[in-house]
């Protein structure tokens, strides 16, 4: 196949209402890449150029194009292709919580968008079998650590005066280290920076103290998040 021929790689995701979303990566002249999403999302095209050498592989180009596309389009609509309804509800309420706490709509949007980008890119790496056996071992550790954090948050919220800021912060930072170890060889420094942005927010001492204060005005929103976390456990989503 020469550079003027067309190669198409398609990947399909099932949306909530069983609607198939196709992501097509088309390779054309001089290594140009055009990515088309359809249907369900407005038709979107992304054009990027990659140098084609002896090591050229359509699979690698497809992966790069998918990650590039998602870096431009990560939002709640995009998340529905990778995140179920319960986790989407958690993200919606995290946005409300962050907006109410910071008083800054843009900062809350940036926080949730960064969470979505991290989750979606990890899913793409996994679905494209980019993780090594060592990566998968780290991913397993990460999953167990994240489960511990979620259980801890639920317990701190439901049982008054059990909140331990140091314990929760340590576990979140342990999770940060494992997450960076998992994606360090796969994502850019900018993506790593998104991980720090998200986890810096959730380990801020003042934020944690306010969230678990018994008389906090944010407790109704946090209660909804806790309920969704418990539901996700029951459904196997966490």
């Amino acid at each position: 196949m020469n550079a003027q021929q067309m190669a198409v790689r398609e990947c399909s995701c099932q949306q909530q209402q069983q609607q198939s979303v196709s992501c097509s990566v088309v390779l054309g002249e001089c290594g140009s890449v055009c990515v088309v999403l359809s249907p369900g999302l407005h038709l979107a095209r992304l054009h990027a150029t990659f140098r084609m050498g002896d090591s050229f592989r359509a699979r690698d180009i497809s992966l790069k194009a998918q990650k590039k596309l998602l870096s431009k389009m990560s939002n709640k609509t995009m998340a529905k292709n990778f995140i179920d309804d319960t986790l989407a509800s958690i993200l919606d309420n995290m946005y409300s919580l962050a907006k109410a706490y910071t008083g800054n709509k843009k900062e809350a949007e940036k926080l949730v968008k960064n969470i979505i980008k991290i989750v979606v890119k990890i899913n793409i790496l996994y679905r494209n079998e980019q993780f090594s056996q060592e990566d998968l071992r780290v991913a397993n550790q990460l999953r167990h650590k994240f489960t511990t954090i979620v259980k801890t948050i639920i317990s701190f919220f439901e049982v008054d005066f059990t909140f331990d800021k140091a314990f929760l912060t340590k576990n979140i930072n342990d999770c940060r280290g494992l997450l960076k170890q998992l994606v360090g060889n796969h994502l850019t420094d900018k993506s790593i920076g998104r991980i720090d942005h998200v986890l810096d927010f959730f380990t801020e001492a003042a934020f944690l103290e306010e969230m678990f204060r018994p008389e906090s005005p944010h407790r109704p929103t946090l209660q909804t998040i806790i309920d969704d976390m418990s539901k996700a456990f029951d459904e196997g989503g966490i």
Side-chain angles (χ1 to χ4, degrees), residues 94 97-99 101-102 107-108 111 176 195-205 207-208:
M94 280 186 176
L97 189 66
K99 180 183 175 183
Y101 174 74
T102 63
E107 177 60 27
L111 178 73
R176 183 201 305 258
I195 293 172
D196 282 328
H197 173 254
V198 169
L199 297 184
D200 284 348
F201 180 86
F202 288 115
T203 53
E204 181 190 326
F207 171 77
L208 292 175

Side-chain angles (χ1 to χ4, degrees), residues 5 15 79 81 99 104 124 140 195 209:
Q5 290 178 306
Q15 287 185 307
N81 298 320
K99 180 183 175 183
N104 188 324
I124 286 177
N140 190 51
I195 293 172
E209 290 168 357

Side-chain angles (χ1 to χ4, degrees), residues 131-144 178 181-182:
F131 290 134
S132 66
Q133 287 302 310
E134 176 61 20
D135 289 335
L136 294 175
R137 184 188 66 79
V138 172
N140 190 51
Q141 290 180 308
L142 176 62
R143 184 172 63 252
H144 286 300
L178 289 168
Q181 187 177 345
L182 175 64

Side-chain angles (χ1 to χ4, degrees), residues 14-29:
Q14 293 298 321
Q15 287 185 307
Q16 177 183 351
Q17 298 179 347
Q18 303 300 316
Q19 183 179 18
S20 178
V21 177
S22 176
C23 174
S24 301
V25 182
V26 182
L27 308 180
E29 295 182 359

Side-chain angles (χ1 to χ4, degrees), residues 67-185:
K67 291 198 293 185
K68 182 67 176 177
L69 174 71
L70 289 166
S71 71
K72 300 294 184 183
M73 299 186 64
S74 288
N75 52 36
K76 283 187 274 190
T77 300
M78 208 53 201
K80 289 179 181 179
N81 298 320
F82 296 88
I83 300 172
D84 65 25
D85 291 342
T86 302
L87 295 183
S89 177
I90 291 174
L91 287 176
D92 286 339
N93 284 291
M94 280 186 176
Y95 164 77
S96 298
L97 189 66
K99 180 183 175 183
Y101 174 74
T102 63
N104 188 324
K105 181 175 181 288
K106 288 185 178 180
E107 177 60 27
E109 288 176 347
K110 181 180 179 181
L111 178 73
V112 173
K113 285 181 179 179
N114 280 346
I115 294 172
I116 291 171
K117 287 177 180 179
I118 294 165
V119 171
V120 168
K121 287 184 178 182
I122 290 174
N123 268 279
I124 286 177
L125 288 168
Y126 179 75
R127 293 182 185 189
N128 284 273
E129 300 180 354
Q130 296 300 299
F131 290 134
S132 66
Q133 287 302 310
E134 176 61 20
D135 289 335
L136 294 175
R137 184 188 66 79
V138 172
N140 190 51
Q141 290 180 308
L142 176 62
R143 184 172 63 252
H144 286 300
K145 179 63 68 173
F146 184 72
T147 298
T148 297
I149 292 171
V150 172
K151 288 180 177 179
T152 299
I153 290 172
I154 293 173
S155 177
F156 285 169
F157 182 82
E158 293 180 342
V159 183
D160 289 343
F161 308 110
T162 58
F163 171 57
D164 186 334
K165 180 177 62 181
F167 178 82
L168 182 56
T169 300
K170 179 184 182 302
N171 276 276
I172 293 175
N173 283 327
D174 287 346
C175 190
R176 183 201 305 258
L178 289 168
L179 187 53
K180 287 184 176 182
Q181 187 177 345
L182 175 64
V183 302
N185 294 326

